[in-house]
Amino acid sequence: MNPDELPLLIPYFAKVARSLARGHDAEDLTAVALLSVWLRWDAVNSFPDARAAARRLGVWSMLADRRRASKRALQTVPIDGHEHATHDERDHFEELIRGDALLRQRYGQGLTLKELAAASGTTPGIMQRQIEARLREVKRAAG
């Protein structure tokens, strides 16, 4: 495969990208795939079936880009009803709640108050008060 054949992969990458995202995001994923193949052209071309290697590398790069995008979306998360945390604060918060099963379920696993209340046999209001009390303890311990 020679570099002049790289544009022939665009329809394939565009089809895969449209299955992963819509609109401009799909176009961006197509560009990511083409760029990753272009940057690693020597390695891709060293395979017996360079076209298959280029397709594989392009799809892997698109999937990796989607994972990075979903991680970036989690950089701002609600800690309680009013505050939001940055990525570093979230990491610190996760360390603090590691020993508290209720807070891990609420914030680490993302369970709702109704789900937690049903699992523990209480009402959502009682669960909210318990979580707020534990959050105050964690914040007080954190300083």
Side-chain angles (χ1 to χ4, degrees), residues 17-18 20-32 65-66:
R18 282 191 304 274
L20 295 171
R22 300 285 177 249
H24 294 294
D25 290 337
E27 293 173 5
D28 291 345
L29 287 177
T30 303
V32 163
D65 191 73
R66 292 297 293 170

Side-chain angles (χ1 to χ4, degrees), residues 14-130:
K15 183 178 179 181
V16 173
R18 282 191 304 274
S19 72
L20 295 171
R22 300 285 177 249
H24 294 294
D25 290 337
E27 293 173 5
D28 291 345
L29 287 177
T30 303
V32 163
L34 287 170
L35 181 62
S36 65
V37 171
W38 178 255
L39 291 174
R40 295 170 185 86
W41 184 255
D42 293 335
V44 167
N45 214 23
S46 68
F47 282 89
D49 189 355
R51 182 167 284 130
R55 286 181 174 181
R56 184 180 313 131
L57 176 62
V59 170
W60 284 350
S61 64
M62 283 190 265
L63 293 173
D65 191 73
R66 292 297 293 170
R67 280 192 297 273
R68 282 190 296 274
S70 66
K71 286 181 182 178
R72 283 190 302 268
L74 292 175
Q75 286 183 344
T76 303
V77 295
I79 289 183
D80 58 29
H82 309 290
E83 298 178 16
H84 285 77
T86 64
H87 186 65
D88 292 336
E89 290 170 336
R90 180 185 169 94
D91 290 343
H92 181 65
F93 181 71
E94 287 175 352
E95 289 175 23
L96 292 173
I97 67 169
R98 187 172 295 144
D100 192 309
L102 178 62
L103 293 179
R104 263 199 335 271
Q105 289 174 333
R106 175 69 173 113
Y107 297 106
Q109 297 173 7
L111 297 179
T112 65
L113 287 173
K114 288 182 180 179
E115 292 169 333
L116 287 170
S120 64
T122 64
T123 66
I126 291 172
M127 188 57 58
Q128 177 67 36
R129 285 190 293 277
Q130 289 177 356

Side-chain angles (χ1 to χ4, degrees), residues 1-19:
M1 186 172 175
N2 63 42
D4 295 335
E5 295 178 46
L6 192 58
L8 299 176
L9 295 172
I10 292 174
Y12 173 78
F13 288 150
K15 183 178 179 181
V16 173
R18 282 191 304 274
S19 72

